[in-house]
Amino acid sequence: MSAAVTSLPSLHLIFSSIVPEALQLEQAVEQLLRSLQDHFGLANACCILFEETLQQGWKTLWIASEESGRFGRLPDGLVNELVELASPYVLLKGRLHPVPVDPEEPMPWMRSQVAAIGAPITLDQESFGLLHIQPFLPDFRPLSHDLEIVLHTTAFLARLMRLHSLAVQREQRLKRQNASLRYQVLKAEGELQFVGESRIAQELRRQASTVAPSTAPVLILGEHGVGKELLARIIHQISDRSHGPFVKATLEDLEEDHMLADIFGREGGSFPEPLGGAGFIEQAEGGVLYLEETHHLPSRLQARLLRLMQYGEFERLGSTTLRKADVRIIAGDSADLGELTTLGRFRPDLYYRLNVFPLEIPPLRLRMEDLEPLSAHFLHRAMRQYGRKLAFTPKALEVLRSHYWPGNVQELELLVDRLAILSDRASLDDRIVRQALQLGEREVEASLPPESSPSLKEMEKNEVVAALKRNQWIQHRAAKELHITARQMGYRIKKYGLGQLVAEQKRKCKTIKNGSRC
C-alpha cells in the first residue's frame, strides 16, 4: 500500500478525477473506494447504493485490502439500523454510536474497540446510500481524521449520485420520447398498434411507451382475446431490443418435460427427442421471450425461470452446464397470479419478479368507446386484404354495441373478417351482423371447457343482475358500472326478461329504512 496522504486537498484532487465518470456510477464509486484505500489507508471500504439510485434494490460495492481479503455483505438488519440512524456513526464491537455533533468534542473510543465507521450519503434530505469502512488499518492518526475523510467523501458522493440521477432521468426521458416516436411510426405504417380512443386505451399506450426503454419484466393481465400479445409485441418493437427476436412460448396443454425442453432447450439423447436443440430462451437471445399463460408453469419450471430472471442463467434439459442468456421476459396471463400466490399455486418470489411493471387490459365490454375505432380498423384491414369496399350501417353498429363480447377484441376481429367473406354487398346491415354473431357465439361456446358451462347468455345475464343489485336496482348506475349506456342496459333487461324482477326489487328498496342496502 502506498504511503498515506492525509491532506484534504489531495482528497479533492481524487474527487475531481472521478467526476467525468459520473454516468458510469458503479465504476466511479469503485474507483473512489480504491483511492480511499490506496491514498488514506482506509481498507475495506464499502458503499451501499439504495434502490432509488439504481432502481433494482440495494447494491453493495466494496474494495478489500489484500491482507483481509473480501469481506461479506452487511446484514440487512444492520443496514436498516444505519439507515434509521441517519447520521455519521462509529460501530463499536457489539454496539452502534452516533458521532458527537460537536467536532471539538473528544471521542473516547480506542481504535482497537472500533469495528467500523461510516455516514449516510444525503443531499437536501434525499438519501442515496451509505459509506461504511470496516475495519481500517490501525495507525497513529486520530479517529476524528478518518471520520472527516468519510464525511467529505459522502458529501462528494451525494453530489455525484445526484448528477448521475439527473443524467439517468434525462436519458430515460429521451428513450421514452424515442419509444413514443417509434410507436407513431408503427401506427403510420399500419403495423402494430393498440387501437382505441378510450381513456384506458390511451393510458395503456402511454404505459407501454414508458416501460419499453427499460429492461424490466412486464406482466400483462387480461381475459383471453383482449390483446395481451399485441401489447407485448408493441413494447418489443418500440424498445432498444427491437432488432432482436420476439419469441412466443405458449404454456397451455403441454406436459412438464415437453414444456421444460421447449423453453430451456435439450441436450442430445435427453427426453423427449434424441437430438439436442436450443429452446425458446436461446432463440430469444438479445430480444424478448413472451410467456403466454404463465400460471401453467409447474413449480420445478417456476424455480428455473426465477433463476433465469435473477442471474441470467439456465440449464438445458439433460445438462448440468450453466448457460448465460440476455433475454427480457414479458408474461401475459388471464389468471390472477396474486390470488394463485396466496393459494400456494404460484411462487411468490417469481410473482414479485414478474410483477415489476404490471399492465391490465380490461375486457372489451368495459371499454365500449373503443368498439367503433376497433371495428373501423379491422374493416379497413379486411378491405385491403379482400379488395372490397365495406361499411357498417348505423343499425349494425347498434347491434355490435349491444353484444356482450365474451371473446373480446379477438372475437370482434374474427367477426369482421367473417363479414367481409360472407357479405355479398358493400353495406353491412344489422341482419347479417346478427347472423355472424350467432355463428361466432356458437364457436366461442364450443371452445370453452366443460366446467365453464353456464352459457354465454347466462353469463351476461348474471353480470347484469349482479350490477343492478350492487347499485340498488337503479339502471343508469348499473349501466355506468358496466361501461354501457342506459339504453343498452334497458335492452339487456328486456332481452333477459328482467323487467318484473327489477320492478319488484325497486319496490323492496323503497320499503327498506335506516339506510340499509336492498
Side-chain angles (χ1 to χ4, degrees):
M1 182 179 294
S2 64
V5 179
T6 59
S7 64
L8 290 177
S10 298
L11 185 61
H12 295 149
L13 282 175
I14 292 170
F15 293 164
S16 63
S17 69
I18 290 170
V19 168
E21 306 297 325
L23 289 179
Q24 305 297 324
L25 182 62
E26 293 184 34
Q27 292 89 321
V29 171
E30 287 179 347
Q31 182 181 335
L32 179 58
L33 297 183
R34 191 171 287 108
S35 297
L36 290 179
Q37 176 177 284
D38 293 344
H39 294 279
F40 294 95
L42 297 180
N44 294 351
C46 165
C47 183
I48 298 173
L49 306 181
F50 290 163
E51 181 177 1
E52 291 78 8
T53 307
L54 290 181
Q55 300 176 346
Q56 58 185 27
W58 283 340
K59 187 172 183 67
T60 304
L61 305 173
W62 60 79
I63 299 295
S65 66
E66 293 179 4
E67 294 84 353
S68 68
R70 204 180 211 192
F71 57 88
R73 172 186 170 184
L74 296 182
D76 288 348
L78 175 59
V79 174
N80 285 325
E81 193 174 355
L82 298 177
V83 170
E84 191 173 335
L85 184 65
S87 70
Y89 58 85
V90 172
L91 184 63
L92 302 183
K93 292 175 181 177
R95 53 194 195 279
L96 183 65
H97 284 272
V99 170
V101 175
D102 185 357
E104 300 300 323
E105 184 179 338
M107 287 175 282
W109 308 297
M110 299 287 292
R111 275 189 177 272
S112 59
Q113 296 176 311
V114 176
I117 60 174
I121 303 169
T122 58
L123 182 63
D124 299 333
Q125 298 184 332
E126 183 177 3
S127 185
F128 295 98
L130 287 170
L131 179 64
H132 187 84
I133 313 292
Q134 68 154 40
F136 43 89
L137 299 179
D139 61 25
F140 57 86
R141 292 198 312 263
L143 188 61
S144 59
H145 180 280
D146 291 342
L147 278 167
E148 187 176 9
I149 293 174
V150 167
L151 292 176
H152 277 274
T153 302
T154 54
F156 167 73
L157 279 171
R159 286 168 172 78
L160 184 75
M161 292 178 185
R162 170 68 63 79
L163 180 62
H164 173 79
S165 177
L166 292 173
V168 168
Q169 289 174 22
R170 181 174 180 274
E171 183 183 15
Q172 290 297 321
R173 185 166 60 251
L174 290 173
K175 284 186 173 181
R176 285 195 295 271
Q177 291 171 354
N178 188 33
S180 181
L181 289 173
R182 286 182 180 180
Y183 179 78
Q184 294 304 321
V185 170
L186 286 177
K187 184 178 179 181
E189 292 176 348
E191 296 295 329
L192 299 172
Q193 56 177 302
F194 196 84
V195 177
E197 301 303 325
S198 67
R199 181 182 55 81
I200 294 169
Q202 294 176 33
E203 178 64 15
L204 283 169
R205 287 195 293 267
R206 187 194 67 79
Q207 290 181 346
S209 296
T210 299
V211 74
S214 74
T215 58
V218 181
L219 177 61
I220 307 176
L221 300 170
E223 294 179 5
H224 289 289
V226 293
K228 298 187 291 293
E229 182 184 344
L230 171 65
L231 193 59
R233 288 184 180 275
I234 289 172
I235 291 170
H236 170 59
Q237 285 298 321
I238 63 178
S239 75
D240 294 338
R241 290 176 172 259
S242 58
H243 63 279
F246 180 94
V247 177
K248 175 183 174 182
T250 302
L251 305 180
E252 288 183 281
D253 303 324
L254 282 179
E255 295 180 2
E256 183 172 334
D257 284 329
H258 284 85
M259 194 184 296
L260 196 159
D262 285 350
I263 297 173
F264 296 92
R266 64 177 72 84
E267 286 298 309
S270 65
F271 178 86
E273 298 291 343
L275 299 177
F280 294 139
I281 292 171
E282 291 171 83
Q283 295 170 28
E285 178 67 21
V288 164
L289 175 59
Y290 175 65
L291 299 172
E292 186 177 58
E293 301 300 336
T294 322
H295 69 277
H296 286 291
L297 275 175
S299 57
R300 181 162 63 114
L301 271 68
Q302 290 180 29
R304 284 175 175 254
L305 179 61
L306 179 64
R307 185 170 69 177
L308 173 70
M309 298 182 70
Q310 285 180 321
Y311 307 112
E313 299 174 346
F314 71 99
E315 297 169 356
R316 284 183 173 183
L317 178 64
S319 171
T320 57
T321 302
L322 280 179
R323 296 170 180 264
K324 286 287 186 180
D326 174 23
V327 174
R328 183 181 192 177
I329 301 294
I330 301 181
D333 221 303
S334 59
D336 185 341
L337 293 185
E339 182 180 354
L340 294 180
T341 299
T342 304
L343 296 173
R345 290 161 53 188
F346 200 84
R347 289 182 66 112
D349 44 7
L350 178 57
Y351 171 63
Y352 297 136
R353 282 275 172 182
L354 291 170
N355 202 41
V356 170
F357 199 99
L359 295 172
E360 185 167 2
I361 307 177
L364 180 57
R365 62 185 174 276
L366 296 184
R367 52 185 184 101
M368 291 298 286
E369 308 98 303
D370 295 334
L371 184 124
E372 286 192 43
L374 282 165
S375 301
H377 172 72
F378 295 138
L379 195 61
H380 180 69
R381 192 170 67 186
M383 286 192 291
R384 283 188 306 173
Q385 182 177 355
Y386 299 112
R388 301 189 58 193
K389 189 173 181 180
L390 299 165
F392 285 110
T393 66
K395 285 188 176 181
L397 288 173
E398 184 64 31
V399 172
L400 293 178
R401 283 191 289 268
S402 67
H403 186 58
Y404 183 65
W405 298 110
N408 289 296
V409 178
Q410 186 179 53
E411 183 187 358
L412 177 60
E413 180 181 10
L414 295 174
L415 172 76
V416 172
D417 198 57
R418 184 183 296 116
L419 287 168
I421 296 171
L422 292 177
S423 178
D424 55 359
R425 291 181 295 175
S427 179
L428 301 176
D429 59 21
D430 56 324
R431 179 188 58 80
I432 192 168
V433 169
R434 290 183 194 279
Q435 289 175 353
L437 278 173
Q438 289 171 1
L439 176 62
E441 190 170 286
R442 287 197 294 271
E443 290 176 353
V444 173
E445 287 190 8
S447 69
L448 293 174
E451 59 269 20
S452 52
S453 43
S455 70
L456 295 174
K457 289 183 178 179
E458 288 173 333
M459 289 166 60
E460 182 180 27
K461 178 181 177 181
N462 292 339
E463 187 163 343
V464 168
V465 171
L468 285 164
K469 187 175 181 180
R470 286 191 297 269
N471 290 278
Q472 289 78 55
W473 302 91
I474 299 174
Q475 295 180 36
H476 71 272
R477 290 183 185 174
K480 186 175 181 181
E481 180 185 314
L482 294 176
H483 294 264
I484 59 177
T485 65
R487 181 182 177 185
Q488 290 166 346
M489 174 59 75
Y491 169 80
R492 284 166 172 76
I493 289 173
K494 182 178 179 181
K495 175 181 175 182
Y496 297 119
L498 298 174
Q500 186 175 352
L501 174 65
V502 172
E504 289 175 356
Q505 293 299 326
K506 279 185 176 179
R507 283 196 296 271
K508 287 182 181 179
C509 287
K510 289 181 180 179
T511 61
I512 294 175
K513 298 180 181 180
N514 302 323
S516 301
R517 295 178 66 88
C518 51

